[in-house]
């Protein structure tokens, strides 16, 4: 059991490091070939490295069109982060949920319109607007 956990952490670290290194195309291919990787999206959005967080949003934007069946698998890893103490994380999650475009997440984004941070409120509203266009 410990070995499996270590391998999972190693894989997550490798994805983040590749993201930071600018290997987005490689990561896109990995996700398309192994949809179980979507569980890492939330953790990638909380990475301290800005390139990883931006790359994660770009990853979801690309996969939305290239892997639309599986992209919603990222949602469960994102939902707990809507209550993260960091407004940057909450805003990033709202943005990514808007990209994914699942109408079932709109009620979660509605709650964020009451967030203490003005940027989070704005991003939540923009994400709701994007989902409504679908």
């Amino acid at each position: 059991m410990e070995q499996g956990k270590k391998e999972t952490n190693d894989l997550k670290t490798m994805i983040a490091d590749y993201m930071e290194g600018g290997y987005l195309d490689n990561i896109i291919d990995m996700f398309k070939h192994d949809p179980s990787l979507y569980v890492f999206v939330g953790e990638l959005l909380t990475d301290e490295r800005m390139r990883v967080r931006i790359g994660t949003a770009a990853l979801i934007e690309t996969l939305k069109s290239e892997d639309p069946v599986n992209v919603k698998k990222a949602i469960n890893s994102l939902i707990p982060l809507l209550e993260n103490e960091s407004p940057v994380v909450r805003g990033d999650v709202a943005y990514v949920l808007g990209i994914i475009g699942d109408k079932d997440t709109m009620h979660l984004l509605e709650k964020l319109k009451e967030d203490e941070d003005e940027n989070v409120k704005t991003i939540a509203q923009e994400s709701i607007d994007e989902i409504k266009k679908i």
Side-chain angles (χ1 to χ4, degrees):
M1 184 90 165
E2 255 333 286
Q3 181 65 25
K5 192 174 190 177
K6 182 186 180 322
E7 288 172 3
T8 298
N9 284 334
D10 289 349
L11 182 57
K12 179 177 49 181
T13 299
M14 183 199 72
I15 291 169
D17 290 348
Y18 270 45
M19 189 83 72
E20 183 183 36
Y23 299 106
L24 182 60
D25 289 338
N26 299 65
I27 297 167
I28 291 166
D29 287 339
M30 287 173 62
F31 273 69
K32 286 171 29 180
H33 289 91
D34 185 358
S36 72
L37 298 177
Y38 281 98
V39 299
F40 296 133
V41 171
E43 290 181 67
L44 292 169
L45 277 181
T46 62
D47 195 280
E48 62 197 27
R49 298 168 286 186
M50 185 176 287
R51 275 187 82 147
V52 175
R53 294 191 313 272
I54 292 170
T56 302
L59 172 71
I60 295 300
E61 286 175 347
T62 301
L63 291 171
K64 171 67 177 177
S65 63
E66 294 186 15
D67 192 23
V69 171
N70 290 311
V71 76
K72 291 181 180 183
K73 291 181 179 184
I75 293 171
N76 286 338
S77 73
L78 297 169
I79 291 172
L81 298 175
L82 292 170
E83 296 180 15
N84 191 284
E85 65 184 35
S86 168
V88 172
V89 171
R90 293 192 306 274
D92 287 349
V93 170
Y95 177 72
V96 169
L97 287 173
I99 294 169
I100 293 171
D102 187 335
K103 292 183 190 279
D104 291 339
T105 63
M106 283 183 47
H107 71 283
L108 300 169
L109 293 167
E110 287 288 343
K111 288 181 188 176
L112 278 186
K113 288 176 22 181
E114 305 299 322
D115 197 271
E116 62 196 35
D117 187 273
E118 287 301 317
N119 289 325
V120 173
K121 290 178 186 180
T122 301
I123 295 167
Q125 183 60 59
E126 289 171 354
S127 291
I128 290 167
D129 294 343
E130 281 301 309
I131 294 171
K132 285 180 178 177
K133 290 179 187 176
I134 297 172

